[in-house]
Amino acid sequence: MGKSDPVTRLGSLIASFSIIVRNFLVIEICLHYGVLVPMKLYNFHNVTGGWVMNDEANSHWLSVIQQLTTGHQWLIENLGYTPRNSWSIDPFGHSSTQPYLLKLAGFENSLIQRIHYRIKKELARDRHLEFRWRQLWDGTGKTDMFTHMMPFYSYDVPHSCGPDPKICCQFDFKRLPGNGVNCPWGMAPIKIIQKNVAERASLILDQWRKKSQLYRSNVVLFPLGDDFRYDRKNEWDNQYSNYEMLIDYINNNDAWNAEVLYC
């Protein structure tokens, strides 16, 4: 957590922090899906690790703790793993109780998504979509939870790579023609080949750069997934093979001052 991260107390911003501007952009691509695998063997990381992604509006705090305990006990006993990062993308609204309980459970970071668009717009305008979530009664910062707020409408690929879903949808390679899923904007993904890799890499990097302008860090998070994903081999193959060509091209182009890696 850098000194430029604003502190948020239940929506009240303390914004007297300097902006850090860097020319080199790092893009981290994270797959999100529902597959259980040995963590250390594949270098995968389970986030939150509860039995469910709990509701934050109506759930009693005891129920939240119980489901988190159940999930963590299973992870410890079966995978020898304890999560330290929270992923909460689909509760309809977020409660300040949740980061407080996560902090007590040893979590260090959290990611949230479903926030009213007016709040997202306000935070994006001042580049405050990453902040330290602090409890209202905390005067010392001991409850601070570093929080990353996703900036756009949803957590699917069309609304994750950048501000233009029509372009981003073209980089969800599950939607390649013939796979039974299409892009509602009428522009389907195309397979990445040597002939088009320069143009396609430039197109998605432009979206990543525009997304980066909403944050103060030089690291951009790009979640590559959606509900009910990665349940078939061809999706793994299509996403990996096409992104490998894009990543190799970007990383080997020094003039673009960007590095793409899997998180």
Side-chain angles (χ1 to χ4, degrees), residues 6-156:
V7 176
T8 298
R9 289 192 178 97
L10 298 177
S12 300
L13 293 177
I14 300 176
S16 56
F17 297 89
S18 60
I19 296 177
I20 299 176
V21 179
R22 299 172 183 169
N23 293 325
F24 194 85
L25 183 64
V26 178
I27 303 96
E28 293 195 349
I29 300 178
C30 291
L31 309 182
H32 60 99
Y33 42 85
V35 182
L36 289 174
V37 295
M39 302 296 174
K40 294 181 180 178
L41 181 61
Y42 293 99
N43 197 31
F44 286 175
H45 298 277
N46 186 294
V47 285
T48 308
W51 187 252
V52 296
M53 186 183 296
N54 61 272
D55 174 66
E56 299 183 21
N58 299 310
S59 301
H60 194 280
W61 63 268
L62 183 58
S63 298
V64 176
I65 291 175
Q66 287 176 333
Q67 70 84 20
L68 192 64
T69 301
T70 300
H72 281 207
Q73 286 178 332
W74 192 95
L75 287 172
I76 291 171
E77 292 170 3
N78 291 277
L79 301 175
Y81 183 82
T82 303
R84 288 291 175 262
N85 303 294
S86 170
W87 172 271
S88 186
I89 58 172
D90 216 15
F92 284 76
H94 295 280
S95 164
S96 62
T97 302
Q98 185 76 12
Y100 178 59
L101 294 177
L102 292 174
K103 185 75 174 184
L104 293 177
F107 281 77
E108 299 169 358
N109 310 290
S110 69
L111 179 146
I112 59 177
Q113 155 62 22
R114 291 203 180 272
I115 299 293
H116 195 282
Y117 75 94
R118 291 182 63 183
I119 298 176
K120 285 193 176 188
K121 184 177 180 180
E122 180 73 16
L123 294 175
R125 186 188 65 185
D126 295 323
R127 304 175 78 187
H128 284 159
L129 288 165
E130 287 181 337
F131 53 87
R132 289 171 289 159
W133 197 335
R134 181 176 298 178
Q135 299 301 305
L136 183 63
W137 42 263
D138 177 11
T140 63
K142 65 180 181 180
T143 63
D144 284 6
M145 172 68 73
F146 177 77
T147 303
H148 172 98
M149 184 184 296
M150 297 174 71
F152 304 124
Y153 166 75
S154 184
Y155 50 80
D156 59 1

Side-chain angles (χ1 to χ4, degrees), residues 168-189:
C168 291
C169 195
Q170 299 173 48
F171 293 90
D172 183 359
F173 295 103
K174 181 183 174 107
R175 302 174 192 255
L176 283 166
N179 286 318
V181 187
N182 58 27
C183 285
W185 297 271
M187 300 183 69

Side-chain angles (χ1 to χ4, degrees), residues 141-247:
K142 65 180 181 180
T143 63
D144 284 6
M145 172 68 73
F146 177 77
T147 303
H148 172 98
M149 184 184 296
M150 297 174 71
F152 304 124
Y153 166 75
S154 184
Y155 50 80
D156 59 1
V157 179
H159 297 94
S160 291
C161 90
D164 191 339
K166 178 176 78 277
I167 293 176
C168 291
C169 195
Q170 299 173 48
F171 293 90
D172 183 359
F173 295 103
K174 181 183 174 107
R175 302 174 192 255
L176 283 166
N179 286 318
V181 187
N182 58 27
C183 285
W185 297 271
M187 300 183 69
I190 58 176
K191 184 178 180 181
I192 306 301
I193 57 176
Q194 288 298 330
K195 187 176 180 179
N196 66 20
V197 65
E199 180 267 332
R200 305 307 287 178
S202 176
L203 189 62
I204 192 170
L205 182 59
D206 179 64
Q207 288 296 301
W208 286 336
R209 289 195 186 279
K210 288 175 179 175
K211 183 177 182 178
S212 75
Q213 297 305 304
L214 304 178
Y215 296 92
R216 299 189 176 203
S217 169
N218 67 326
V219 178
V220 176
L221 177 67
F222 172 38
L224 181 61
D226 200 350
D227 298 338
F228 312 112
R229 286 300 193 92
Y230 299 100
D231 56 348
R232 298 182 182 181
K233 181 178 182 297
N234 71 323
E235 180 177 7
W236 288 91
D237 293 341
N238 287 336
Q239 301 283 29
Y240 179 79
S241 61
N242 285 283
Y243 270 101
E244 274 296 284
M245 290 196 67
L246 292 168
I247 290 170

